[in-house]
Amino acid sequence: MEEEALRAEYEALLRTESRTLRRPSEKEVAALWRALTAEERRFFGGTPLLSGEAGAADPFRGILPDLQQALNKAGFSLPEPVHLAAYPHESFNAQARAVRTGTLILINTGFTVLVLEIAKTFAVSMGFFNRDEDGGVTFAEATAVERERTELAEAAMARSLLAYLLQGDATRGGRQPFHTESAGMAWRLTDATTRFVIAHELAHLLEGHLATPREREAGSWLTRTREQEFQADRTGALLALRALENPTDQILNHFAVAGPLFFFAIDHLISRVRNEIDDIPQGMRLSDHPSSDERGAALRAIFQDIHGPLVLQLADVCVHWLAGREDGIVAAADRLMRG
């Protein structure tokens, strides 16, 4: 009953704000579904998924129960019912909304698909990875074929990013293929990034950052102070670490740490594109969050205190890789805008 009540309030929210989740044609769904690998289909819940499709399987659907179970094991519980869904709110990643029957955590429509496209490009660029003797991550040197594949992937990433900002749908920029040798890296990084975003929004609820009763009746979006954002980052990241299937597995910890720092690197890139390209819709520029660089630095210190500096190895590779491509991506997005 709680889930049904929250779902009803979610649907009412869409109607009240004249929002719709675009329903694709059967032809569009069939074409996309044929393009997915078996692994992609499993990731997207066994149901044809197009970013923005109402009623499609959510790639983050199984994450909320994992985080709730981790809370329960630690002796905590959510103070009220929570419903997780996609919503086109024009924020890069997620927002929480207090409603009469609980809290809606609303992931921006197509967010996970955008992260996946960027993670695919990173994974193709890195190629194979293995454990070293100290439990860290090492990468094989790229071949000529892999270098050419990387160049194509980076161009596709710029198209995906611009499509997301302009149309709320990264798939309109084209989908990159999956490559066997890099699929595992892309999936794990996408999952870790998405888990952190959801855990961060849960942390706002756990830390008491919800709207006042009067604001709740009005159905307000939650507003946060800088201090609350840093607090939610810390609590959310620790929750994501606690929810690992095997917390002692070093590779899982590497990805759980890389997820939030990769997210902040993407946020930094999106902020640059928004600020440097004049034709990005004005509504996409608004943010009450601290800078991604400040948030990332704060979490790095926490991760290092918990696990030591080696756990940041993969995260550093992710962040440096994307930072090194920012100028090229912004220039490519500008060229695309100019036709």
Side-chain angles (χ1 to χ4, degrees):
M1 292 298 294
E2 291 176 345
E3 175 67 19
E4 292 177 5
L6 277 171
R7 184 178 293 276
E9 293 212 53
Y10 166 64
E11 293 172 352
L13 176 62
L14 288 172
R15 292 193 299 270
T16 300
E17 299 195 357
S18 300
R19 298 287 193 176
T20 58
L21 296 178
R22 185 179 72 87
R23 292 183 180 275
S25 66
E26 292 185 4
K27 183 177 180 180
E28 286 178 308
V29 173
L32 177 62
W33 196 239
R34 285 195 299 271
L36 299 180
T37 65
E39 187 174 8
E40 285 182 294
R41 294 178 187 183
R42 286 193 297 272
F43 181 75
F44 286 117
T47 302
L49 171 74
L50 187 63
S51 178
E53 179 189 358
D58 295 324
F60 43 75
R61 181 175 53 190
I63 296 177
L64 183 57
D66 287 350
L67 296 174
Q68 288 176 308
Q69 185 177 22
L71 283 172
N72 293 338
K73 287 182 178 179
F76 298 96
S77 61
L78 295 176
E80 61 186 40
V82 172
H83 178 60
L84 181 64
Y87 182 85
H89 47 53
E90 294 181 343
S91 172
F92 158 49
N93 53 91
Q95 291 186 10
R97 175 113 177 184
V99 293
R100 184 175 54 83
T101 59
T103 298
L104 300 176
I105 293 179
L106 303 176
I107 310 298
N108 193 30
T109 306
F111 164 77
T112 300
V113 175
L114 173 67
V115 175
L116 176 60
E117 292 304 304
I118 297 175
K120 284 180 186 177
T121 309
F122 169 75
V124 165
S125 300
M126 295 300 103
F128 293 100
F129 71 97
N130 298 290
R131 297 175 189 261
D132 60 25
E133 292 182 358
D134 295 323
V137 179
T138 59
F139 300 94
E141 184 176 351
T143 65
V145 171
E146 288 169 342
R147 287 193 293 271
E148 181 180 5
R149 186 186 294 169
T150 297
E151 292 175 4
L152 294 173
E154 290 179 3
M157 183 172 67
R159 293 194 299 271
S160 297
L161 179 62
L162 199 58
Y164 183 73
L165 289 174
L166 292 174
Q167 300 172 287
D169 186 354
T171 63
R172 288 175 175 260
R175 298 288 313 272
Q176 298 180 50
F178 256 95
H179 301 287
T180 302
E181 66 273 19
S182 61
M185 170 74 78
W187 286 128
R188 284 194 178 278
L189 190 55
T190 301
D191 181 69
T193 304
T194 306
R195 282 175 180 269
F196 168 71
V197 167
I198 294 170
H200 172 96
E201 297 302 326
L202 282 178
H204 278 301
L205 176 59
L206 292 165
E207 298 289 357
H209 301 165
L210 282 174
T212 66
R214 178 176 297 179
E215 290 172 329
R216 182 180 290 270
E217 286 301 317
S220 299
W221 293 103
L222 299 185
T223 57
R224 295 87 176 250
T225 65
R226 286 174 54 86
E227 292 74 17
Q228 287 174 336
E229 286 301 327
F230 284 119
Q231 189 177 29
D233 284 343
R234 181 178 64 252
T235 301
L238 294 176
L239 175 57
L241 283 169
R242 181 174 285 273
L244 291 177
E245 182 178 352
N246 180 4
T248 63
D249 187 293
Q250 292 187 27
I251 289 294
L252 291 181
N253 277 289
H254 277 289
F255 277 102
V257 166
L261 298 182
F262 189 56
F263 165 77
F264 291 134
I266 296 172
D267 183 62
H268 188 279
L269 170 62
I270 284 181
S271 295
R272 276 200 62 186
V273 174
R274 286 174 176 167
N275 292 333
E276 296 182 25
I277 298 180
D278 292 335
D279 293 330
I280 298 295
Q282 191 69 23
M284 296 295 292
R285 298 175 186 267
L286 302 177
S287 175
D288 56 0
H289 290 49
S291 74
S292 54
D293 291 343
E294 291 177 286
R295 297 170 69 187
L299 277 191
R300 281 179 58 87
I302 292 171
F303 291 141
Q304 185 163 329
D305 285 345
I306 295 173
H307 291 293
L310 278 179
V311 79
L312 292 164
Q313 186 175 9
L314 176 59
D316 287 342
V317 172
C318 292
V319 171
H320 293 160
W321 170 84
L322 194 55
R325 283 154 180 80
E326 271 197 7
D327 289 344
I329 293 169
V330 171
D334 188 52
R335 288 193 298 271
L336 288 168
M337 288 294 295
R338 297 175 186 275

